[in-house]
Amino acid sequence: MPLDISFSLDDQDLDYFRSVMKKAQHRAEALSEAAVVESAHKLLRKVDDNSRAPHFVRERLVHLQSLISMLDDADWPLAAEERTDVISALAYFAHPSDIIDDNVPVLGLLDDAIMIDLVVREMRNEVDAYEAFCRYRSEQETLQGKDVTREDWLAAKRRELFDRMRERRSRRHR
């Protein structure tokens, strides 16, 4: 029988996680984009290979995978600033020594799950737009008409989602 445990992080707790993220970003400045992405991939593989990895971690990794995928997706060309934001978001996973040692059974990935939630919260517009684009692309590929090229309909949807993402980000920062 599963046990549900929930907790809330207050502003002070979130500030702590943000400071840890800032330190990780500072350490990751010396790394290449490829090294940062590979570290995030390593976490994905580690959890995927661990049949006992907690569900609360697995369900968050979908968003981490989206962040990684948007960097390499030729149909989703990120502007330089947005690309830097994604790499910064992945920086926490580039350093093996995080808050809780990942080798601690069940709880070792708790800090990673919290950090994924925090990153996704901070980048909600980007993640939502990219995931919507992927759903659209997947649905439309089978429905693609003869008059419109694949690039035409992808470009139209991409423009729409980038505009919406940037507008939401702009409103959030005002």
Side-chain angles (χ1 to χ4, degrees):
M1 171 178 349
L3 171 67
D4 289 334
I5 299 174
S6 87
F7 59 92
S8 298
L9 299 175
D10 64 18
D11 288 337
Q12 184 177 355
D13 300 327
L14 292 175
D15 287 344
Y16 172 74
F17 276 94
R18 285 186 185 103
S19 74
V20 169
M21 176 57 92
K22 290 277 186 219
K23 289 175 188 169
Q25 288 168 335
H26 181 68
R27 283 192 311 260
E29 285 175 355
L31 300 175
S32 69
E33 178 179 311
V36 172
V37 171
E38 178 51 34
S39 295
H41 271 297
K42 201 178 292 184
L43 174 64
L44 291 174
R45 285 191 301 271
K46 180 178 188 169
V47 172
D48 204 36
D49 292 345
N50 181 356
S51 62
R52 297 192 44 112
H55 178 70
F56 68 84
V57 174
R58 288 183 182 281
E59 67 186 10
R60 285 159 174 80
L61 292 181
V62 172
H63 300 301
L64 183 62
Q65 180 60 60
S66 290
L67 287 168
I68 295 168
S69 295
M70 72 173 65
L71 292 169
D72 294 328
D73 193 332
D75 293 329
W76 190 257
L78 289 172
E81 180 183 342
E82 292 158 349
R83 189 170 194 82
T84 300
D85 289 346
V86 173
I87 294 300
S88 291
L90 296 175
Y92 181 77
F93 310 102
H95 208 277
S97 61
D98 49 15
I99 298 171
I100 303 173
D101 187 323
D102 290 350
N103 294 318
V104 175
V106 182
L107 297 179
L109 297 169
L110 178 62
D111 61 316
D112 298 292
I114 291 169
M115 198 58 79
I116 291 169
D117 274 357
L118 183 59
V119 162
V120 168
R121 180 179 173 188
E122 298 289 323
M123 299 196 71
R124 171 58 46 208
N125 299 326
E126 291 85 348
V127 172
D128 284 351
Y130 181 68
E131 290 176 352
F133 177 76
C134 289
R135 282 189 303 276
Y136 175 82
R137 176 175 51 190
S138 177
E139 293 165 3
Q140 293 301 312
E141 280 188 321
T142 58
L143 304 174
Q144 183 181 356
K146 303 279 187 244
D147 316 11
V148 179
T149 68
R150 179 176 192 276
E151 184 52 39
D152 290 340
W153 59 261
L154 283 177
K157 188 63 173 182
R158 187 173 44 242
R159 276 191 306 274
E160 172 192 331
L161 290 168
F162 273 142
D163 289 346
R164 183 174 73 193
M165 173 186 78
R166 290 173 182 138
E167 171 59 30
R168 287 179 179 170
R169 185 179 338 124
S170 172
R171 274 186 276 157
R172 187 179 72 207
H173 290 294
R174 275 188 240 149

